[in-house]
Amino acid sequence: MIEFAIQLNVVKMIVDHVKIPVTADIESGYGEDDQTIFCSRIERR
């Protein structure tokens, strides 16, 4: 599994280089436990 931060960076690079809307289906990308999921949500704000 790819780390969430890496997935987010890849999506950001794509968004930065195209002029069309981008969606990303990141399944299981938030974390494997409650604390990791919580922290990843706080970091993105």
Side-chain angles (χ1 to χ4, degrees):
M1 177 168 31
I2 299 173
E3 293 180 25
F4 180 70
I6 294 171
Q7 292 176 344
L8 199 59
N9 285 333
V10 169
V11 172
K12 184 180 181 322
M13 285 191 316
I14 294 168
V15 168
D16 289 346
H17 288 88
V18 299
K19 295 181 189 265
I20 59 172
V22 175
T23 62
D25 185 5
I26 305 175
E27 191 169 323
S28 301
Y30 295 106
E32 295 182 16
D33 57 61
D34 292 343
Q35 184 64 32
T36 304
I37 294 168
F38 177 77
C39 289
S40 71
R41 298 293 296 165
I42 295 299
E43 289 172 5
R44 294 187 310 144
R45 291 186 177 183

